[in-house]
Every structure is written in C-alpha cells, then in structure tokens.
Amino acid sequence: MYATPDRTLSGIQPTGTPHLGNYFGAIEQHIALQDQYPGECFYFIADYHALTTVHDGDTLRANVREVARTYLALGLDPQRATLFRQSDVPEVTELTWFLASVTGMGLLERAHAYKDKIARGMKPNVGLFLYPVLMAADILAYRPSLVPVGKDQMQHVEMTQDMATYFNQAFAGGEPVLRRPEGQLSSTPVVPGLDGQKMSKSYGNTISMFDSGKALRKRVGKIVTDSTPLGEPLKTEGCHVLGLLGLFKTNAELDEIKTNYRTATRNGQPFGYGHAKQLLAEAIETRFDAARQRHAHFTAHPDELDAILARGAERARGLARQTLQDCKKACGLR
Ligand code: ADP
Ligand code: TRP
C-alpha cells in the first residue's frame, strides 16, 4: 500500500560556506548516488534547521544560495537528483508535530548534537531541542530507503527510525505508514579542520573548495603544526596537513610524502611544513578547478539556480503531501 522505490535523501544546513568536511563527508557521496538512484535522489537545504542559529535574513538567503551553487558546481545533475529548499515544503513542520506527539523527552535528551552544543555554552532554544524531530520529519516525509550522512548525524537517523516506529505503532497498528530508512556513513567519516578538530562551519576552522591562489594558500597556511624547524624530520603521526593530503593523494603518493616528512627532503631539496601545505593547496586547486568554474557560472546566473530550486520544490512537495495525507488519515485528522 505504501510501496515506494529505493530512494536516497539527505540535507545540509545553510549555516555558512560549505567546506572540505562537507564535501568529503557528505556531498561527494550524495552526488555519486545519482548514478545508483537516478531520479530518486533528494537533497535539500535545511533552512528551517538553520533558524535555530542563524537570525539574519540576508545571511540565511545568501547561505542557501551558496549551498545550492555548491551542489550544482560539484556535479549535482538536476535531471537525476532533486535539489530543494526545506522551507519550500511546509508539510514537514506539520509532520514534526505528529512525531513530537509520540516521542519521549528521554530520546531527545540523549541527542549528542544537542548535548555537545549545551556543553559548549550555547543557550538552548526549544527549536534546538526539537531539532531531531524536525530532522526526522524531513526524512520521513519523502519516504527514503537510504539517508547518507556523516558520523555526527547517524544518531539522528537512528532517532528517525525510532520515531517512524512510534508513529506507526501509535496511529497505524504497526502498518508502515512511515518508512524506516537506513543510514549510510560516508567512507570519510571525519575530516579534520585547521586546528585538527572536526572541520565545521561553527568552529571557524574550515577550508573552502572554491578558494584558489593566494586566498587558498593563506587559509592552508593556518593549519596548525608543531614548530619543527626546516631541515629536521617532521612527525607524520597526528599531522593535520598530512591528514588532509590523504583525501587527495593515492597511497603511493602519500607514502612518498611520508618519506619526505621523515627525511625532511623532497627531490633533493629541504622539506618542511610550508612545503607540505603547498602540496595541499595545489591538490585542492587542481581537484576543484572545474567545479570552481561552474560555481562562478551559477554566481553569475542566479535565475538558473532559482529555476532548479523551484522545480525541485515542486517534486519534493508532491511526495510530502502524499505522506501527510496518509499520516492524517492514520491519526484521525481526516
Ligand atoms: P557543519 O559542522 O560545518 O555545520 P553540517 O552540520 O551542516 O556541517 O554538515 C553537513 C554534512 O556534512 C553532514 O552530513 C555532516 O555529517 C557532514 N560533515 C560536516 N563536517 C564534516 C567533517 N568535518 N567531516 C566529515 N563530515 C562532515
Ligand atoms: N542535521 C543535519 C546536519 O546538521 C542536516 C539535516 C537536516 C539532515 N535534515 C536532514 C541530514 C535530513 C540528513 C537528513 O548536518
């Protein structure tokens, strides 16, 4: 009765400029899935979620566009994947209420993301506490079978599975009105930032895919290293530069660089952290060269971006409306 094709769905918050952590942890995988689930990939920009932290309209609008441009620049194909704004589907806030009505406080109190933010001194609003319920709603509304996310979001996907079960049991005698999705971890669970902590917009330790030249070199220059002077062997273990180089280089190339670290030389010349950073900046520049040009194209043609988001919203909203109709029927609201 609720048969749905295999479908993948994920979201990204428009809380700043997307970065290498988002790319290797999420976006790269999202885009690759287009080949596996053509026509059944859904990716949205979680602007409702961002309201818990972004309180300036212009900033939010700019961030939403930046995320959309980023996906398109990095290869999202609107023919095979649906890109849309979360807030273009207001049905998800309605579903949030249905889920909130069957979810225990205890489940939300155990959320790591919430606990971490409180531990870092963030003043919680009710929205932040309810964040996993909104996230469950914007997953379940589209009935995906697979939700690809980074490690930090896996607990939210598990909570989503629980909420689907609570709803189905409470209102539908266990019938799968809401489909329980599976989470899928990317193969690069945590990308380190400039300071070695998880790269995150909220830590200010990010590197963008689209910087180049001097700006990129300056950013990469900020990666924290120890103070080994040029000419002395460098430690490979725990080096954040090397950690990031690992995302771009083959094993053989990486082994060579590790030898450069140990011998403090490369091609007969002295080798220090500055040289390692230079290799990293070059690798980033080369890998994202074509994407940088597409990014510039969408910056110059915002109308194309808007049209893609509008088409995406229409398709996504059609699915959410159907789910909501089924949920209302189950709850007795229709
Ligand atoms: P941020 O922490 O920068 O605010 P988001 O929370 O918006 O990033 O994350 C968007 C997606 O990118 C999520 O699936 C998340 O797991 C993934 N992600 C974010 N930062 C990293 C990272 N440093 N390493 C791996 N994946 C990440
Ligand atoms: N909470 C996710 C993050 O911070 C973003 C997100 C919102 C999401 N809704 C989602 C991810 C649904 C996957 C599925 O990264």
Side-chain angles (χ1 to χ4, degrees):
M1 179 179 170
Y2 303 108
T4 316
D6 282 345
R7 175 175 293 152
T8 150
L9 171 124
S10 197
I12 183 165
Q13 282 207 69
T15 43
T17 304
H19 50 77
L20 291 178
N22 297 139
Y23 179 70
F24 288 106
I27 304 173
E28 183 184 39
Q29 183 188 198
H30 294 168
I31 291 172
L33 286 167
Q34 294 177 156
D35 298 329
Q36 228 176 309
Y37 298 84
E40 294 296 343
C41 286
F42 289 76
Y43 301 120
F44 66 88
I45 305 162
D47 50 359
Y48 281 146
H49 275 105
L51 292 184
T52 59
T53 50
V54 181
H55 294 158
D56 176 74
D58 288 338
T59 303
L60 186 62
R61 261 184 292 276
N63 288 350
V64 166
R65 290 187 157 274
E66 184 52 35
V67 172
R69 266 198 293 273
T70 298
Y71 267 82
L72 292 165
L74 291 168
L76 181 130
D77 170 8
Q79 303 301 325
R80 287 181 293 159
T82 303
L83 180 68
F84 63 105
R85 263 188 221 100
Q86 183 184 29
S87 62
D88 279 336
V89 187
E91 283 77 6
V92 298
T93 58
E94 217 178 341
L95 184 55
T96 300
W97 180 248
F98 299 168
L99 298 175
S101 304
V102 293
T103 302
M105 293 283 286
L107 185 79
L108 300 185
E109 280 162 357
R110 285 193 291 278
H112 302 313
Y114 176 74
K115 288 198 291 192
D116 288 352
K117 284 183 176 139
I118 304 300
R120 275 188 279 119
M122 211 163 148
K123 253 188 155 175
N125 50 41
V126 176
L128 189 64
F129 185 66
L130 272 186
Y131 187 109
V133 190
L134 176 60
M135 178 156 163
D138 55 37
I139 293 173
L140 299 172
Y142 309 102
R143 294 181 162 140
S145 43
L146 196 72
V147 182
V149 286
K151 196 171 162 217
D152 57 330
Q153 296 300 316
M154 201 42 122
Q155 191 197 24
H156 288 153
V157 177
E158 288 160 8
M159 293 166 96
T160 300
Q161 296 173 329
D162 290 344
M163 286 184 234
T165 303
Y166 299 153
F167 181 94
N168 292 339
Q169 281 173 352
F171 291 119
E175 279 286 304
V177 179
L178 294 176
R179 182 189 215 176
R180 266 176 72 101
E182 293 302 322
Q184 180 176 280
L185 265 190
S186 66
S187 52
T188 315
V190 179
V191 175
L194 298 177
D195 53 359
Q197 280 195 84
K198 173 195 171 229
M199 187 179 287
S200 171
K201 286 164 272 184
S202 44
Y203 301 162
N205 63 356
T206 63
I207 300 174
S208 154
M209 283 73 81
F210 304 120
D211 278 347
S212 61
K214 246 189 173 164
L216 176 63
R217 260 158 265 283
K218 209 169 151 201
R219 198 74 191 149
V220 168
K222 291 199 170 128
I223 300 173
V224 176
T225 59
D226 62 32
S227 49
T228 308
L230 185 62
E232 284 186 26
L234 308 176
K235 270 202 228 81
T236 52
E237 212 158 286
C239 174
H240 313 320
V241 185
L242 204 54
L244 287 164
L245 274 166
L247 299 166
F248 296 89
K249 300 289 183 188
T250 62
N251 286 341
E253 288 168 336
L254 212 56
D255 283 344
E256 190 192 334
I257 297 171
K258 283 183 187 162
T259 305
N260 301 148
Y261 267 62
R262 282 188 283 268
T263 59
T265 58
R266 182 175 173 88
N267 302 329
Q269 301 292 322
F271 181 87
Y273 287 120
H275 300 95
K277 289 177 177 180
Q278 178 69 22
L279 288 177
L280 177 61
E282 282 164 13
I284 296 172
E285 207 158 36
T286 309
R287 167 75 80 94
F288 296 110
D289 186 39
R292 201 176 317 110
Q293 291 175 33
R294 282 196 296 271
H295 185 265
H297 170 87
F298 284 109
T299 305
H301 298 90
D303 45 325
E304 286 183 27
L305 203 74
D306 289 339
I308 290 168
L309 290 175
R311 278 202 303 277
E314 202 178 324
R315 167 119 209 269
R317 198 166 184 196
L319 295 181
R321 279 201 175 116
Q322 181 60 55
T323 307
L324 263 286
Q325 212 174 316
D326 295 339
C327 287
K328 283 182 181 173
K329 207 168 147 201
C331 301
L333 294 176
R334 284 289 179 280

